[in-house]
Amino acid sequence: MDDDGSMVAISRFLFIGPVVIVLAWFLAGQWGLAGPETRAWLQFASVVCLASLLPLPGAPQSLSELSARVQWLGWVVVAGLVATT
Amino acid sequence: MIARQWEASRSLEWLLIAVTSAMVIFHVAGWIAAAGIFWQEQVTLHVPRIQSAIVIGLALLVLRATSAPRRHRRFVVLCALVVAAVSFVTVPLPRQFDSPADPGESLMPSGSDAGRSRGQFEDRFRVDRGDVLFHSHLADVAINALDSAFGRTETSPARAYDTLSTLAGLLFLLELGIAAAWHRWSRQVCRYVGLAMATPLCLLFFGYWDLGYLSIAVGVVPLLALARGRMPVPAHAAALVAGFLQGLHTAFHGFGLLSLASGALAALSKPGDALRRVLRAATFTSAGVALYLGWMFFYVTLGRFSLIWERELGHRPFFESIAFENKLATPLFSQAGFGEFGLFSALSGVPLLALALLSARRATLIPAALYALPGLFFVVRWWPTSAPFNLDLLLSIFPGVFAACWVVACSRRTSMGALLLLSGLHVLLWTTVGNGVFARMEIPR
């Protein structure tokens, strides 16, 4: 794989990775077993993600900006999930 | 002559900044002592609960919207205020902290006692027997009226507390809305709305059962900023409305006297000549006192009530431990006492003032420093008897946090920094209540 191809693969992994991890966590039925801290973390993270990604009137954001934000927030959510479980 | 006056005024301003900075450095030392105690006691971090997430999320939305044109940011701010109002009712605070280590810890001990027992409620609120406690006279009358409206049953005290908290939350949001509209939805005021909503104090509007937080008037700081404007009539009107608001909140709870003193000092700051500044401060103070004490006339003539004073304010000793209400007050100059002071200072929002001092220009800092000074001194000496669970008082002893919000709201960058700092304070708050740090020990009789 050339340099450009590997960069694209890394970028896709960074973008999709957290979504896959969180989805797998839910599908494995971990929400039912989670303690109050994990639940609180996921509630907190989902509200902040929503507030951070929601499109606002008059404040356009570019796709690259949105993608960078999703990557960054996604990995923070995963890190918090690991820390609280 | 003019040059000499200008020199004297400049020296005074520097002196004020120096005193405020020295006080903030003293508070920073307290935060370091508190961090040391957290480390020693191996305190576990607790994630902020959903109520914190809601206010921080709404604040983030509002801060993001401030770069948009005026009509768009007005729309976003109004939506955020409405969502906050709905969530105050639909997502109430838990009565007990759901910590695995101590699942029974109450978040609002004194309110829980009065809210759950008819007898204790009637012991605390004696308006029916003709007695009104002076320190929270208007809140006593209001909660008694709500209890009466709900039929004076076993469950009506709880409903009265919940409704009072919601009404206080609506007043908080209304004040923010009025201030934003009066400032014509400027970027600074919109950022202020966001930051004020993100303060830990806002959590108490999700159904906190106590009264101390009713003393905070969030609209005063932006209105006093208008009162320092060039046009005399709107400036005078803004000072008058700010005074009325602060007086109303002080009538709800006497801790508002701190904000009244803060506002009067801030009203003395520039611009304007000495006479104009004194008139501004007099307008604010007289309006405040009128709405703080004016109710007495109605209590005596219409209600035939007696006013009673039975509050003893706990003060922190400097060197020797003393007992208050059967609890031991550790001295300020001891590791535990200094750490405790540092924690309460951080929770009340002093770190935001430190951020404002580091990031703003001197001219914008003067009114904020004047507004913050009474609270900075008060936090040092105040010793709360049921800390760390009397959040209503802990989160409202430093009204200067709103002056700091106003200063940092000048720019988008400092506002984002302040929001990050406020999120950290939410973590600190939930960690403190979750671990029961500095919980009071009863002295055996």
Side-chain angles (χ1 to χ4, degrees), chain B residues 188 192 195-196 199 217-218 220-222 224-225 228 262-263 266 349 352-353 356-357 360 364-373 398-410:
Chain B
Q188 186 180 10
Y192 175 79
L195 293 177
T199 52
V218 70
V220 167
V221 170
L224 279 177
R228 289 191 293 274
S262 301
L352 216 65
L353 180 70
L357 280 173
T364 59
L365 276 178
I366 299 298
L370 284 166
Y371 199 89
L373 266 182
F398 182 61
V401 68
F402 294 104
C405 282
W406 181 253
V407 171
V408 294
C410 282

Side-chain angles (χ1 to χ4, degrees), chain B residues 324-347:
Chain B
F324 270 111
E325 295 180 12
N326 210 33
K327 286 166 188 154
L328 198 67
T330 46
L332 181 67
F333 295 108
S334 65
Q335 195 198 0
F338 201 57
E340 188 184 281
F341 145 71
L343 175 66
F344 298 163
S345 146
L347 284 176

Side-chain angles (χ1 to χ4, degrees), chain B residues 284-304:
Chain B
F284 173 82
T285 312
S286 46
V289 171
L291 229 62
Y292 171 38
L293 298 177
W295 306 92
M296 306 295 161
F297 172 78
F298 299 103
Y299 297 156
V300 173
T301 55
L302 297 180
R304 309 273 178 212

Side-chain angles (χ1 to χ4, degrees), chain B residues 177-223:
Chain B
I178 289 172
W182 209 330
H183 276 270
R184 297 180 185 179
W185 310 94
S186 70
R187 292 202 157 87
Q188 186 180 10
V189 81
C190 290
R191 288 191 201 108
Y192 175 79
V193 170
L195 293 177
M197 279 167 63
T199 52
L201 177 94
C202 202
L203 293 181
L204 305 178
F205 302 120
F206 287 85
Y208 194 83
W209 287 4
D210 225 323
L211 307 175
Y213 65 105
L214 304 179
S215 62
I216 291 291
V218 70
V220 167
V221 170
L223 291 182

Side-chain angles (χ1 to χ4, degrees), chain A residues 36-59 61 65-66 69 72 84, chain B residues 45-50 52-54 56-58 60-62 64-65 67-69 72-73 75-76 97-100 423:
Chain A
E37 290 303 313
T38 312
R39 283 172 181 236
W41 168 249
L42 283 174
Q43 286 172 342
F44 185 86
S46 44
V47 172
V48 171
C49 287
L50 190 68
S52 177
L53 302 174
L54 202 70
L56 292 175
Q61 50 186 344
E65 193 187 343
L66 193 70
R69 209 176 282 176
W72 191 82
T84 54
Chain B
L45 281 178
H46 284 285
V47 179
R49 290 340 195 210
I50 185 71
S52 291
I54 291 170
I56 291 169
L58 289 174
L60 184 58
L61 267 180
V62 169
R64 281 181 58 213
S67 56
H72 290 307
R73 58 176 185 262
F75 174 73
V76 174
F97 188 77
D98 50 357
S99 158
S423 308

Side-chain angles (χ1 to χ4, degrees), chain B residues 184-441:
Chain B
R184 297 180 185 179
W185 310 94
S186 70
R187 292 202 157 87
Q188 186 180 10
V189 81
C190 290
R191 288 191 201 108
Y192 175 79
V193 170
L195 293 177
M197 279 167 63
T199 52
L201 177 94
C202 202
L203 293 181
L204 305 178
F205 302 120
F206 287 85
Y208 194 83
W209 287 4
D210 225 323
L211 307 175
Y213 65 105
L214 304 179
S215 62
I216 291 291
V218 70
V220 167
V221 170
L223 291 182
L224 279 177
L226 282 170
R228 289 191 293 274
R230 288 173 193 278
M231 306 291 284
V233 175
H236 194 73
L240 202 66
V241 174
F244 280 143
L245 278 180
Q246 192 51 65
L248 177 72
H249 284 272
T250 310
F252 279 127
H253 197 280
F255 263 39
L257 284 169
L258 261 179
S259 309
L260 202 58
S262 301
L265 279 174
L268 282 172
S269 62
K270 282 181 179 175
D273 55 19
L275 179 65
R276 199 172 145 197
R277 283 145 67 183
V278 169
L279 277 177
R280 191 192 300 145
T283 304
F284 173 82
T285 312
S286 46
V289 171
L291 229 62
Y292 171 38
L293 298 177
W295 306 92
M296 306 295 161
F297 172 78
F298 299 103
Y299 297 156
V300 173
T301 55
L302 297 180
R304 309 273 178 212
F305 298 144
S306 309
L307 282 156
I308 293 176
W309 175 262
E310 56 173 36
R311 261 283 151 119
E312 191 188 4
L313 204 60
H315 64 272
R316 187 184 299 285
F318 281 122
F319 299 106
E320 298 286 332
S321 298
I322 52 172
F324 270 111
E325 295 180 12
N326 210 33
K327 286 166 188 154
L328 198 67
T330 46
L332 181 67
F333 295 108
S334 65
Q335 195 198 0
F338 201 57
E340 188 184 281
F341 145 71
L343 175 66
F344 298 163
S345 146
L347 284 176
S348 63
V350 180
L352 216 65
L353 180 70
L355 179 71
L357 280 173
L358 289 173
S359 59
R361 288 179 298 115
R362 184 169 53 95
T364 59
L365 276 178
I366 299 298
L370 284 166
Y371 199 89
L373 266 182
L376 281 178
F377 282 104
F378 186 73
V379 178
V380 176
R381 280 318 301 278
W382 180 59
W383 189 83
T385 47
S386 48
F389 301 110
N390 55 342
L391 297 178
D392 61 321
L393 298 178
L394 271 180
L395 300 180
S396 53
I397 43 166
F398 182 61
V401 68
F402 294 104
C405 282
W406 181 253
V407 171
V408 294
C410 282
S411 89
R412 185 183 162 84
R413 200 171 60 85
T414 50
S415 303
M416 281 297 183
L419 181 62
L420 210 61
L421 191 57
L422 286 167
S423 308
L425 295 187
H426 280 267
V427 176
L428 181 66
L429 174 71
W430 289 101
T431 299
T432 303
V433 295
N435 289 276
V437 188
F438 298 116
R440 302 296 183 222
M441 305 289 277

